[in-house]
Amino acid sequence: MKDEKHPIVPKWLEELQQRSWEPEILLSGIVLYGMFKVPDLLDDFLMFFKLNIFGNSTDINNLIAFFKMGIYWLITGLILHLICRGIWIGMVGLSYTFPTGIRGDRISYKEKFKEKVDKSPTYEQIVVRLEKISSSLFSVSFMLFMSIIGGYFFFLVLVILPFTVTYIYFDIGFEGAFFDAFQVYVFIVISVAFLALADFVTLGYFRRFKWFAKIYWPIHKLVSALTLSRFYRPIYYGIVTNFNKWAFFVFLVVFAFVSIAGAGNYSNRVYPGDSISRLSVWGTTQGYTAYTGYYDDRNEDFPSWRAHIPSDVISGNVLKLFVVAQIAYEEKMLEITSVDSLRKVYPDTSKAALNLMAVKNYFKVAIDQKEVEVPKWYFHYKESSKQRGFLTFIDIGDVEEGLHQLQISSPSDSSFSRPISNIPFYRDVNIVPGTPNKTREDKETSVDFQPKPFGIRD
């Protein structure tokens, strides 16, 4: 009678199982090479999204943070897998080179030292054990990655999407009774998530009680669907039923703790290592930080998301200022200066010129808290940092030699009090422009649209 639980294994599958190490090593190498490049690509995507699509949401920060944690777990697992496979290959070679294995009779050790040598496992036993560990590491790496992505997908479907649709598309304010109800709903979702996480980490502890299993079954079905468990549950059950349960339990506890703490660290940190640094005097308060990303000659790797000037030391009488365009600015910008109202005053002016008038009314520039006149703004695209923004040229001929603070601000409800950037720079009148303080070349594309009453309409 055919055993449906254990069907006859096809010959091609048996051969593939015996030679599974070949695709494992190949895939580990290829995937590992690609994974090292993904975090930088995610950072680029995060910057583009917050600048051009939706700048006020922290959900995209959390998404990128969880993706990074999943990738780092995958990288860690694949590195361990390659190390184990390397040892495995070495032991396979030794088993062929020395078919008799370890010969204790040739060692004149005494007592316990001799006993330890005699009890050493054979090369074949080590190879079989390493084979099991290596294949398990390869599978567990993908299980950890998919479980992290599944955890975020759970909150995406149940919390983030309902919040976004309700707030943006239906324009329902989160206040009063509705806000209280939404808080209760989020609390229920988080409670279910922690229950499912506890069940996952404890290897299904809640499913062992008959009365509770009936209650937990529909919750488990919902959570399983929303966490994409179809992709990693077989690996999970295979490890649970074939490995030491206590060891796997401790591993999952560490995995859950490190993943949650690591995601919080990546979504909130400013500089690498902030979460473990014990420096109490050093800080990142705006107005007291000379961030390298502010300066074109220093920001190739970490350009500011807010504003740039050519260098930290400025020679000559002109200061070039580039302010990065952000979607978060535009709502307030157009509220302060309505393009429709400007069109009534300048009926023959292009839309682009009217938009630049709104930009001029929105950004306020000051040096040492003294507002400076900005006659024109230009649309500008920085090839070096791949950023869209606005460019202007400031006359600093009357600014004394020495250290100064450039402030760019945007309006709050009543006054221009919310800072965008505070950039320190030193004006040195003794430097010949373009010689010792020359900045790197920057491919630029600038467009000038200024309001001309008799210009051509778009």
Side-chain angles (χ1 to χ4, degrees):
M1 181 177 178
K2 185 179 178 180
D3 187 357
E4 296 181 357
K5 185 66 176 178
H6 301 284
I8 298 175
V9 180
K11 185 177 181 180
W12 64 267
L13 182 57
E14 286 185 349
E15 294 177 356
L16 188 61
Q17 288 172 338
Q18 293 172 0
R19 304 181 65 87
S20 64
W21 61 272
E22 295 176 343
E24 281 181 16
I25 294 177
L26 180 63
L27 281 175
S28 288
I30 294 174
V31 174
L32 197 58
Y33 175 79
M35 287 299 101
F36 277 115
K37 297 179 177 295
V38 171
D40 290 337
L41 296 176
L42 289 175
D43 288 335
D44 293 340
F45 169 77
L46 177 63
M47 182 176 72
F48 179 85
F49 185 93
K50 293 185 76 68
L51 293 180
N52 295 278
I53 300 175
F54 196 68
N56 293 324
S57 175
T58 58
D59 295 325
I60 187 66
N61 296 65
N62 296 330
L63 172 62
I64 298 302
F66 274 97
F67 259 109
K68 279 189 173 183
M69 281 306 305
I71 288 168
Y72 291 142
W73 277 112
L74 186 58
I75 289 174
T76 302
L78 293 181
I79 289 176
L80 292 176
H81 169 259
L82 287 178
I83 292 174
C84 283
R85 277 299 178 191
I87 300 173
W88 177 84
I89 291 174
M91 297 308 300
V92 170
L94 282 176
S95 66
Y96 174 78
T97 305
F98 307 114
T100 57
I102 300 173
R103 299 181 60 179
D105 57 315
R106 288 192 163 188
I107 300 177
S108 58
Y109 291 169
K110 303 299 180 182
E111 300 177 354
K112 292 184 178 180
F113 295 101
K114 181 68 166 57
E115 182 181 349
K116 186 175 182 180
V117 173
D118 293 337
K119 289 184 177 180
S120 298
T122 64
Y123 289 147
E124 288 75 13
Q125 291 174 327
I126 297 175
V127 167
V128 171
R129 187 178 303 169
L130 284 172
E131 170 69 29
K132 184 177 180 180
I133 294 174
S134 299
S135 296
S136 299
L137 276 172
F138 187 79
S139 300
V140 169
S141 301
F142 287 95
M143 184 198 77
L144 299 182
F145 175 77
M146 287 306 305
S147 62
I148 289 180
I149 301 306
Y152 182 84
F153 189 76
F154 173 84
F155 284 101
L156 174 69
V157 173
L158 293 184
V159 178
I160 299 173
L161 288 182
F163 176 88
T164 303
V165 171
T166 304
Y167 183 74
I168 297 179
Y169 294 99
F170 292 99
D171 196 24
I172 298 178
F174 282 81
E175 55 187 12
F178 182 81
F179 179 73
D180 294 337
F182 189 78
Q183 283 186 311
V184 173
Y185 169 73
V186 172
F187 176 77
I188 294 174
V189 172
I190 293 176
S191 300
V192 171
F194 273 106
L195 178 65
L197 178 62
D199 183 67
F200 177 79
V201 169
T202 58
L203 314 182
Y205 180 77
F206 300 131
R207 306 173 216 176
R208 302 173 187 176
F209 303 97
K210 184 176 181 180
W211 62 273
F212 190 82
K214 293 181 179 180
I215 301 174
Y216 183 64
W217 171 247
I219 299 176
H220 173 73
K221 291 288 290 183
L222 174 66
V223 172
S224 296
L226 294 181
T227 56
L228 311 176
S229 66
R230 178 185 296 269
F231 297 100
Y232 59 86
R233 284 291 181 184
I235 301 174
Y236 175 81
Y237 289 136
I239 299 297
V240 170
T241 55
N242 289 281
F243 276 81
N244 184 289
K245 291 183 173 61
W246 278 106
F248 192 50
F249 164 73
V250 172
F251 171 76
L252 290 180
V253 170
V254 173
F255 162 72
F257 175 79
V258 172
S259 299
I260 295 174
N265 171 43
Y266 283 116
S267 62
N268 296 315
R269 74 175 184 176
V270 178
Y271 296 105
D274 279 352
S275 60
I276 60 175
S277 175
R278 300 276 69 86
L279 292 174
S280 59
V281 176
W282 190 90
T284 58
T285 304
Q286 190 176 109
Y288 299 92
T289 303
Y291 174 51
T292 56
Y294 288 142
Y295 311 109
D296 286 344
D297 58 349
R298 298 177 180 231
N299 69 355
E300 293 185 6
D301 296 325
F302 303 102
S304 170
W305 291 20
R306 297 178 179 271
H308 307 163
I309 62 175
S311 179
D312 52 354
V313 178
I314 301 297
S315 59
N317 297 325
V318 178
L319 176 61
K320 184 170 68 172
L321 171 64
F322 173 74
V323 179
V324 182
Q326 295 194 28
I327 192 70
Y329 298 154
E330 295 195 352
E331 182 178 357
K332 190 69 176 179
M333 184 183 295
L334 298 178
E335 179 184 327
I336 294 171
T337 306
S338 172
V339 173
D340 292 335
S341 63
L342 287 175
R343 190 174 292 281
K344 296 178 182 178
V345 180
Y346 304 101
D348 296 321
T349 303
S350 68
K351 181 180 178 182
L354 297 178
N355 285 336
L356 282 178
M357 292 180 68
V359 171
K360 183 177 179 180
N361 292 336
Y362 183 76
F363 293 118
K364 295 299 179 182
V365 181
I367 295 178
D368 300 329
Q369 299 183 349
K370 182 180 179 181
E371 189 173 332
V372 297
E373 178 64 23
V374 179
K376 291 183 179 181
W377 285 95
Y378 301 87
F379 297 124
H380 183 73
Y381 181 78
K382 288 184 75 72
E383 286 285 348
S384 58
S385 59
K386 308 299 181 184
Q387 292 173 326
R388 297 167 176 82
F390 312 103
L391 179 69
T392 191
F393 301 89
I394 303 170
D395 183 1
I396 58 172
D398 296 333
V399 177
E400 297 180 354
E401 181 176 16
L403 188 63
H404 300 279
Q405 192 89 0
L406 176 68
Q407 295 126 355
I408 306 101
S409 58
S410 61
S412 62
D413 294 336
S414 57
S415 63
F416 292 90
S417 60
R418 187 177 64 185
I420 291 177
S421 287
N422 284 279
I423 307 176
F425 71 95
Y426 189 95
R427 186 176 184 231
D428 191 342
V429 297
N430 297 317
I431 295 180
V432 178
T435 42
N437 194 42
K438 186 177 180 181
T439 61
R440 62 181 172 80
E441 294 293 329
D442 183 21
K443 297 180 181 179
E444 301 174 350
T445 52
S446 300
V447 186
D448 175 18
F449 292 105
Q450 295 302 322
K452 300 179 179 63
F454 301 99
I456 300 175
R457 187 193 300 270
D458 277 348

